[in-house]
């Protein structure tokens, strides 16, 4: 089932408007493979029809297309380094500042997807209780995709998924077995609040946060959108906070709201 | 080159595992049960061991216990690779001295990430 350039452009425009994700040319294969299941679910027979329907789509169809186009496979403790930095740099320093003013420490995972990243952060929080020394910590996990967040909230993963990045020790400490699947234990789940959120819209409901994980999201935005989103993120952050971006993401020429840290090129601190 | 001993009574699993572990960069040797594996270890201690649980002659768990109490047997990184997939078995394996645990079925990506984790332990 091939797709005309015109159809591709129309769907790509819809995805960009809804999610900020700019699909470059030549992503037709990705679009086809991700949207074909959505089309059969909604009984839509061709990409031309889909493009037409998106002009006046039901919210269910809009959400399904956004979910399909924005969700990527994830795994626990992905890339490892960000989590080492979280435990060794971010948590101890922010905790010190927080203890001085007696406030709780808030972490925001801005592209939570199916939950592997917020749960990895929650595991790291629990493993660093000595550093935190009784400090109140909470994690806000947001994503644009309702379907992904549903998985995240359920905390239920297949045997394959839990083996991607999770050590056996962490698995049996923080997960219960449920038939052939595994579910996060309440002690981990209760550290996290899940919320649907589009980064292109108002971020006020995020509240004040200290540590922000926003990895591999900005990479899909154009420079103006990046700058706008980063400006909004900055407004939600405490001055002593940290922003962790993905490995391929730099802010050179994008914004002066953040500066890279000496510790790592993808770890940033807000400018005041 | 680092060495890895694959211990499994299934020749199919040994073949699949060998291909992945050689790609990761290990020189691979094989054993069909815990007894044969233990004897190979006493001759030349590998850097890593991938071991099944249920095998004839000597099980993976018996092998790990025996190896860990043998002089020099504390050094290899041991990764279980088994269809036993419940909390009890995992806990037992870690307690006996295994470093990591992988549940079958696995894929290349899981195997690679487990070996990366072993390097850090």
């Amino acid at each position: 089932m091939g797709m005309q350039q015109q159809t591709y452009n129309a769907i790509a425009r819809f995805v960009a408007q809804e999610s900020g994700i700019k699909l470059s040319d030549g992503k037709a294969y990705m679009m086809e493979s991700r949207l074909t299941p959505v089309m059969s679910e909604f009984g839509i027979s061709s990409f031309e029809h889909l493009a037409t329907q998106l002009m006046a789509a039901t919210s269910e169809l809009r959400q399904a297309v956004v979910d399909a186009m924005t969700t990527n496979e994830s795994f626990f403790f992905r890339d490892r380094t960000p989590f080492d930095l979280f435990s060794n740099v971010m948590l101890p320093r922010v905790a010190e500042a927080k203890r001085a003013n007696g406030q709780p420490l808030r972490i925001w995972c801005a592209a939570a997807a199916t939950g592997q990243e917020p749960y990895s952060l929650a595991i790291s929080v629990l493993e660093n209780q000595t550093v935190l020394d009784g400090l109140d910590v909470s994690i806000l996990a947001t994503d644009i995709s309702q379907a992904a967040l549903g998985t995240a909230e359920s905390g239920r993963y297949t045997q394959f998924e839990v083996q991607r990045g999770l050590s056996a020790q962490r698995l049996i400490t923080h997960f219960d077995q449920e038939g052939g699947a595994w579910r996060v234990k309440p002690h981990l789940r209760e550290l996290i609040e899940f919320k649907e959120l589009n980064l292109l819209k108002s971020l006020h409901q995020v509240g004040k946060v200290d540590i922000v994980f926003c990895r591999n999201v900005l990479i899909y935005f154009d420079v103006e959108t990046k700058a706008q989103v980063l400006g909004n993120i900055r407004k939600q952050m405490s001055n002593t906070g940290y922003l962790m971006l993905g490995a391929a993401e730099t802010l050179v020429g994008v914004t002066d709201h953040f500066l890279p840290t000496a510790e790592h090129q993808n770890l940033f601190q807000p400018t005041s | 080159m680092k060495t890895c001993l694959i211990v499994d009574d299934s020749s199919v699993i040994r073949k699949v595992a060998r291909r992945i572990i050689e790609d990761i960069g290990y020189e691979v040797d094989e054993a069909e049960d815990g007894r044969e594996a233990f004897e190979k270890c006493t001759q030349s201690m590998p850097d890593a061991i991938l071991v099944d649980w249920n095998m004839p002659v000597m099980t993976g768990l018996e092998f790990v216990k025996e190896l860990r109490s043998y002089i020099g047997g504390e050094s290899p990184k041991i990764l279980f690779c088994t269809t036993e997939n419940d909390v009890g078995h995992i806990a037992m394996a870690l307690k006996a001295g295994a470093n990591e645990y992988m549940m079958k079925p696995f894929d290349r990506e899981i195997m690679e990430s487990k070996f990366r984790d072993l390097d850090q332990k």
Side-chain angles (χ1 to χ4, degrees):
Chain A
M1 197 170 6
M3 197 183 326
Q4 301 286 323
Q5 184 66 39
Q6 197 186 341
T7 308
Y8 178 83
N9 292 345
I11 298 174
R13 211 158 37 237
F14 170 82
V15 172
Q17 276 163 8
E18 293 289 315
S19 68
I21 293 179
K22 300 276 196 291
L23 293 167
S24 51
D25 280 347
K27 288 281 172 64
Y29 171 76
M30 174 206 174
M31 191 184 275
E32 282 176 25
S33 65
R34 290 185 171 208
L35 293 185
T36 303
V38 175
M39 285 160 54
S40 65
E41 189 191 331
F42 284 84
I44 297 167
S45 57
S46 71
F47 286 101
E48 284 69 32
H49 282 132
L50 176 66
T52 313
Q53 290 209 17
L54 285 176
M55 297 303 118
T58 60
S59 57
E60 287 80 12
L61 178 61
R62 297 170 89 90
Q63 186 67 47
V65 169
V66 169
D67 285 348
M69 295 304 296
T70 56
T71 308
N72 292 303
E73 199 212 5
S74 183
F75 36 93
F76 293 91
F77 292 92
R78 183 168 208 161
D79 304 329
R80 191 190 308 253
T81 308
F83 299 95
D84 292 343
L85 290 165
F86 179 72
S87 295
N88 302 328
V89 178
M90 297 180 232
L91 271 188
R93 295 203 192 151
V94 175
E96 205 183 321
K98 289 277 132 179
R99 248 194 307 277
N101 64 21
Q103 288 171 339
L105 194 163
R106 292 192 72 229
I107 299 154
W108 176 27
C109 185
T114 41
Q116 282 87 341
E117 186 172 81
Y119 286 122
S120 302
L121 290 170
I123 291 171
S124 304
V125 165
L126 293 176
E127 288 174 352
N128 282 284
Q129 285 305 313
T130 342
V131 173
L132 295 168
D133 191 23
L135 194 68
D136 190 14
V137 180
S138 65
I139 299 170
L140 172 67
T142 66
D143 200 89
I144 189 174
S145 163
Q146 226 171 51
L149 269 186
T151 303
E153 272 196 278
S154 78
R156 201 165 187 275
Y157 298 96
T158 66
Q159 184 169 298
F160 268 98
E161 288 167 329
V162 292
Q163 296 208 86
R164 297 194 197 286
L166 213 51
S167 73
Q169 187 60 59
R170 281 171 170 160
L171 175 65
I172 61 173
T173 307
H174 302 294
F175 288 73
D176 287 319
Q177 206 161 12
E178 251 186 34
W182 295 78
R183 192 192 286 273
V184 290
K185 289 186 178 179
H187 71 245
L188 206 58
R189 176 67 186 73
E190 67 198 16
L191 285 176
I192 309 174
E193 182 195 357
F194 293 93
K195 243 184 212 168
E196 193 184 327
L197 180 78
N198 185 337
L199 289 174
L200 300 187
K201 304 204 169 134
S202 164
L203 302 182
H204 285 117
Q205 55 171 317
V206 168
K208 265 284 181 254
V209 289
D210 304 293
I211 295 173
V212 181
F213 267 59
C214 185
R215 302 198 296 144
N216 309 316
V217 182
L218 299 176
I219 201 167
Y220 297 107
F221 298 162
D222 60 26
V223 177
E224 292 76 32
T225 313
K226 260 184 213 172
Q228 180 211 326
V229 171
L230 284 161
N232 290 341
I233 290 176
R234 170 64 187 99
K235 284 183 204 145
Q236 303 307 126
M237 285 180 71
S238 60
N239 293 334
T240 50
Y242 284 95
L243 168 67
M244 186 80 230
L245 296 182
E249 296 172 310
T250 132
L251 296 185
V252 179
V254 177
T255 177
D256 50 12
H257 287 305
F258 293 94
L259 283 175
T261 57
E263 282 78 16
H264 198 270
Q265 57 180 2
N266 305 118
L267 180 63
F268 296 84
Q269 284 202 284
T271 49
S272 34
Chain B
M1 201 185 227
K2 288 197 285 186
T3 54
C4 179
L5 179 64
I6 297 173
V7 193
D8 202 307
D9 55 337
S10 153
S11 62
V12 176
I13 294 286
R14 290 201 306 273
K15 195 173 160 190
V16 172
R18 173 187 273 269
R19 201 175 301 147
I20 301 171
I21 294 170
E22 281 180 344
D23 285 350
I24 296 172
Y26 284 84
E27 191 184 311
V28 169
D29 194 10
E30 298 178 15
E32 288 181 30
D33 61 64
R35 175 57 56 205
E36 189 192 353
F38 185 76
E39 276 155 19
K40 288 200 167 185
C41 287
T42 59
Q43 284 154 28
S44 166
M45 202 58 78
D47 296 301
I49 300 170
L50 182 81
V51 61
D52 185 17
W53 192 295
N54 299 303
M55 291 177 292
V57 190
M58 184 193 268
T59 68
L61 188 71
E62 289 164 348
F63 161 72
V64 170
K65 285 180 178 167
E66 194 162 328
L67 185 71
R68 287 309 195 206
S69 60
Y70 177 82
I71 295 170
E74 69 283 353
S75 67
K77 304 286 172 62
I78 298 178
L79 169 60
F80 260 96
C81 176
T82 167
T83 50
E84 301 295 348
N85 66 352
D86 58 283
V87 174
H89 276 87
I90 300 174
M92 224 187 302
L94 295 178
K95 188 159 173 274
N99 300 87
E100 257 302 336
Y101 197 101
M102 189 165 63
M103 296 173 275
K104 291 174 185 166
F106 59 89
D107 60 14
R108 173 176 284 265
E109 202 179 18
I110 291 171
M111 178 85 93
E112 286 172 353
S113 83
K114 290 286 177 188
F115 267 85
R116 266 199 305 276
D117 290 344
L118 279 186
D119 279 342
Q120 307 267 321
K121 285 182 190 254

